[in-house]
Amino acid sequence: MSIVSNIKAVFKSMSTLWWRNALVYRSMVRSSLVANILNPLIFLYAFGFGLGAYVNEMNGLAYMAWILPGMMSYGAMFNSSFETTIGAFTRFRTLRTYDAVLATPVKLAEILLGEASFAATKGLLSACGVLLVGSFFGGLESPTGIFGALFLVLCAGLCFGAVGLVFTAYAKGYDFFNYFFTLWVTPNFLFTGVFFSMDRYPEWVQAIGAVLPMTYLVEGVRMLTSSYPVDGLALMAYGGYLLLWAGLAYFVAYRRFVKRMFD
Amino acid sequence: MLSLTNAFAVAFRQYLVWRAYWLNFIFVFVADPLVFLYALGFGLGMAFETMGGVPYLHFIMPGMLASTVMYSVTVDTTYGTLARFNEMGLWHAMLATPVRLEEILLGEALWSATRSTVAAVLVLLVSWALGAVPSFGFALMTLPFLWIFGLVLAGIGQAISSQATHMQSFDFIWPLYLSAMLLFGGIFIDRALFPEWVQWLTFIFPVTHTIEIIRPLTLGDFMPADVLLHAAYLLLLWFGSYKLAICLFKRRFFK
């Protein structure tokens, strides 16, 4: 009984935090939508039509159908990552929002859950925008797969949000996030099959790609939105792997935040 | 009268600050383009052997030189400039000395272009070691043009930040300015692959002209007439954006 009510309480605090971020987001939604959705769309157009005219097909798919899941995943990863690094660090250090929230009954663990879930929401928004426009570009071959694809995007948003929190927990200033982008975001962007099939790389690069969560997001979304056959077992494994990353990263971030704020 | 000594003093101040975080700077603006060069040059390069008639690795190498200058200058003259004049109140402190607004803008632009050229030199050296530069002698000639390209971007960045009120004001430059130049200016993708109207539009971008100058140079071709024409456009754009930035900042501060 007490476990159930505990979970209820955590969920309530978490959704309050989520709602707080959503309210703030509302005031800058216009400039943010421009940046967060337009950016992957420009990549989609340039690579899909520009390079697509040149490449024709990639592993049996038209290049636009190949790149659409790539850009959905990229939009989701970038937005979730940005939200819990630059965004969360501003709330944590500059605005001192965390200190203010901790003066209420909300606990640190719930703040971090709220941050990760809001990051996942922003990633989902971006992926939806890309999906919508990309289907007009002709990149969506399997409309029935989109719900599964968006669910996978949500799992990935939790994962990238939680990894971002790890970096925020260690950050001393904004400069620190340069390492985050070069060491984490760029490899997840380039070595995971977003633009082209990974089998073109030497084995050691493929091995790095196989560890990165983005590989499984791109692969899963591509399986669902393109004409590739759907393998349910593989999809569950991909989702599980993304959530495993999310859980581990969340645990590390929480430990570090506790040490930093309460010791 | 514009005092160059004062402008250099401002540039030197920027250099002194940079010395405190140079490692972070090198990490971002040298390591990142090199990862792109490797990932796309070797990875994508196998999907199609050549682009624009040359091996893809040789094709994107000059693109990486231009993009490292583009990002480093633009970040410095938008987010950096806003922080300096707004949050830190640095410009107001400088204006209380004999330094004038024109000299602040020129000094910051000079340093911004110079540090990005330093990053470009490092990218060039590593690319050369990786075998991505067919003609190293000619490739060295790209550096003055990259420096001028840096000045142009600094002027544009400063003009944008004269209108900014907080960091979110710069959200729009990522898709509409930086990504647009990155994708349509000929850095990764040959402009000839896009529809004609897109190709015409890209002639506004300074990056298009920079690429037109530096790509033949890194490949070992030197066409003086073309270089002069594109360089003239870059200089014109630099002068125009520098004057515009002065005018906009004067309106913001002194009216």
Side-chain angles (χ1 to χ4, degrees), chain B residues 104-115:
Chain B
I104 298 180
L105 289 170
L106 184 62
E108 289 202 349
L110 283 174
W111 172 247
S112 208
T114 306
R115 71 167 203 173

PDB file of all heavy atoms in Angstrom, chain B residues 104-115:
ATOM      1  N   ILE B 104      35.887  49.238 -30.553  1.00  0.00           N
ATOM      2  CA  ILE B 104      35.508  47.989 -29.867  1.00  0.00           C
ATOM      3  C   ILE B 104      35.084  46.949 -30.897  1.00  0.00           C
ATOM      4  O   ILE B 104      35.545  45.807 -30.890  1.00  0.00           O
ATOM      5  CB  ILE B 104      34.346  48.236 -28.873  1.00  0.00           C
ATOM      6  CG1 ILE B 104      34.768  49.212 -27.783  1.00  0.00           C
ATOM      7  CG2 ILE B 104      33.893  46.912 -28.263  1.00  0.00           C
ATOM      8  CD1 ILE B 104      33.671  49.486 -26.772  1.00  0.00           C
ATOM      9  N   LEU B 105      34.189  47.373 -31.808  1.00  0.00           N
ATOM     10  CA  LEU B 105      33.669  46.433 -32.804  1.00  0.00           C
ATOM     11  C   LEU B 105      34.800  45.900 -33.682  1.00  0.00           C
ATOM     12  O   LEU B 105      34.885  44.694 -33.939  1.00  0.00           O
ATOM     13  CB  LEU B 105      32.603  47.118 -33.668  1.00  0.00           C
ATOM     14  CG  LEU B 105      31.283  47.405 -32.950  1.00  0.00           C
ATOM     15  CD1 LEU B 105      30.394  48.292 -33.793  1.00  0.00           C
ATOM     16  CD2 LEU B 105      30.569  46.108 -32.629  1.00  0.00           C
ATOM     17  N   LEU B 106      35.677  46.810 -34.127  1.00  0.00           N
ATOM     18  CA  LEU B 106      36.768  46.382 -34.993  1.00  0.00           C
ATOM     19  C   LEU B 106      37.723  45.458 -34.230  1.00  0.00           C
ATOM     20  O   LEU B 106      38.138  44.413 -34.745  1.00  0.00           O
ATOM     21  CB  LEU B 106      37.518  47.603 -35.537  1.00  0.00           C
ATOM     22  CG  LEU B 106      38.637  47.294 -36.535  1.00  0.00           C
ATOM     23  CD1 LEU B 106      38.076  46.607 -37.766  1.00  0.00           C
ATOM     24  CD2 LEU B 106      39.373  48.567 -36.946  1.00  0.00           C
ATOM     25  N   GLY B 107      38.038  45.819 -33.006  1.00  0.00           N
ATOM     26  CA  GLY B 107      38.987  45.025 -32.220  1.00  0.00           C
ATOM     27  C   GLY B 107      38.463  43.622 -31.956  1.00  0.00           C
ATOM     28  O   GLY B 107      39.183  42.634 -32.139  1.00  0.00           O
ATOM     29  N   GLU B 108      37.193  43.531 -31.561  1.00  0.00           N
ATOM     30  CA  GLU B 108      36.619  42.200 -31.310  1.00  0.00           C
ATOM     31  C   GLU B 108      36.585  41.369 -32.584  1.00  0.00           C
ATOM     32  O   GLU B 108      36.847  40.168 -32.566  1.00  0.00           O
ATOM     33  CB  GLU B 108      35.210  42.339 -30.717  1.00  0.00           C
ATOM     34  CG  GLU B 108      35.225  42.845 -29.291  1.00  0.00           C
ATOM     35  CD  GLU B 108      33.954  42.496 -28.521  1.00  0.00           C
ATOM     36  OE1 GLU B 108      32.982  42.045 -29.147  1.00  0.00           O
ATOM     37  OE2 GLU B 108      33.961  42.676 -27.299  1.00  0.00           O
ATOM     38  N   ALA B 109      36.247  42.041 -33.706  1.00  0.00           N
ATOM     39  CA  ALA B 109      36.188  41.313 -34.979  1.00  0.00           C
ATOM     40  C   ALA B 109      37.578  40.824 -35.377  1.00  0.00           C
ATOM     41  O   ALA B 109      37.734  39.686 -35.835  1.00  0.00           O
ATOM     42  CB  ALA B 109      35.614  42.213 -36.068  1.00  0.00           C
ATOM     43  N   LEU B 110      38.589  41.663 -35.179  1.00  0.00           N
ATOM     44  CA  LEU B 110      39.952  41.280 -35.547  1.00  0.00           C
ATOM     45  C   LEU B 110      40.384  40.042 -34.777  1.00  0.00           C
ATOM     46  O   LEU B 110      40.919  39.087 -35.346  1.00  0.00           O
ATOM     47  CB  LEU B 110      40.937  42.418 -35.257  1.00  0.00           C
ATOM     48  CG  LEU B 110      40.959  43.587 -36.242  1.00  0.00           C
ATOM     49  CD1 LEU B 110      41.867  44.687 -35.725  1.00  0.00           C
ATOM     50  CD2 LEU B 110      41.419  43.107 -37.613  1.00  0.00           C
ATOM     51  N   TRP B 111      40.129  40.030 -33.477  1.00  0.00           N
ATOM     52  CA  TRP B 111      40.554  38.866 -32.698  1.00  0.00           C
ATOM     53  C   TRP B 111      39.734  37.623 -33.054  1.00  0.00           C
ATOM     54  O   TRP B 111      40.272  36.532 -33.198  1.00  0.00           O
ATOM     55  CB  TRP B 111      40.488  39.127 -31.191  1.00  0.00           C
ATOM     56  CG  TRP B 111      40.735  37.840 -30.470  1.00  0.00           C
ATOM     57  CD1 TRP B 111      39.866  37.139 -29.714  1.00  0.00           C
ATOM     58  CD2 TRP B 111      41.938  37.058 -30.523  1.00  0.00           C
ATOM     59  NE1 TRP B 111      40.437  35.977 -29.281  1.00  0.00           N
ATOM     60  CE2 TRP B 111      41.713  35.901 -29.775  1.00  0.00           C
ATOM     61  CE3 TRP B 111      43.177  37.226 -31.152  1.00  0.00           C
ATOM     62  CZ2 TRP B 111      42.664  34.908 -29.612  1.00  0.00           C
ATOM     63  CZ3 TRP B 111      44.134  36.232 -30.996  1.00  0.00           C
ATOM     64  CH2 TRP B 111      43.871  35.098 -30.226  1.00  0.00           C
ATOM     65  N   SER B 112      38.439  37.820 -33.229  1.00  0.00           N
ATOM     66  CA  SER B 112      37.572  36.697 -33.537  1.00  0.00           C
ATOM     67  C   SER B 112      38.009  36.019 -34.841  1.00  0.00           C
ATOM     68  O   SER B 112      38.092  34.786 -34.915  1.00  0.00           O
ATOM     69  CB  SER B 112      36.143  37.208 -33.664  1.00  0.00           C
ATOM     70  OG  SER B 112      35.250  36.211 -33.337  1.00  0.00           O
ATOM     71  N   ALA B 113      38.308  36.844 -35.853  1.00  0.00           N
ATOM     72  CA  ALA B 113      38.749  36.284 -37.139  1.00  0.00           C
ATOM     73  C   ALA B 113      40.111  35.619 -36.987  1.00  0.00           C
ATOM     74  O   ALA B 113      40.372  34.569 -37.586  1.00  0.00           O
ATOM     75  CB  ALA B 113      38.809  37.390 -38.188  1.00  0.00           C
ATOM     76  N   THR B 114      40.971  36.199 -36.152  1.00  0.00           N
ATOM     77  CA  THR B 114      42.320  35.647 -36.009  1.00  0.00           C
ATOM     78  C   THR B 114      42.299  34.299 -35.291  1.00  0.00           C
ATOM     79  O   THR B 114      42.927  33.341 -35.724  1.00  0.00           O
ATOM     80  CB  THR B 114      43.219  36.635 -35.238  1.00  0.00           C
ATOM     81  OG1 THR B 114      43.149  37.892 -35.899  1.00  0.00           O
ATOM     82  CG2 THR B 114      44.653  36.156 -35.202  1.00  0.00           C
ATOM     83  N   ARG B 115      41.520  34.213 -34.201  1.00  0.00           N
ATOM     84  CA  ARG B 115      41.531  32.944 -33.472  1.00  0.00           C
ATOM     85  C   ARG B 115      40.898  31.832 -34.318  1.00  0.00           C
ATOM     86  O   ARG B 115      41.315  30.684 -34.244  1.00  0.00           O
ATOM     87  CB  ARG B 115      40.846  33.063 -32.108  1.00  0.00           C
ATOM     88  CG  ARG B 115      39.359  33.227 -32.154  1.00  0.00           C
ATOM     89  CD  ARG B 115      38.688  33.020 -30.803  1.00  0.00           C
ATOM     90  NE  ARG B 115      37.298  32.666 -31.062  1.00  0.00           N
ATOM     91  CZ  ARG B 115      36.420  32.288 -30.163  1.00  0.00           C
ATOM     92  NH1 ARG B 115      36.753  32.219 -28.903  1.00  0.00           N
ATOM     93  NH2 ARG B 115      35.199  31.972 -30.498  1.00  0.00           N
TER      94      ARG B 115
END
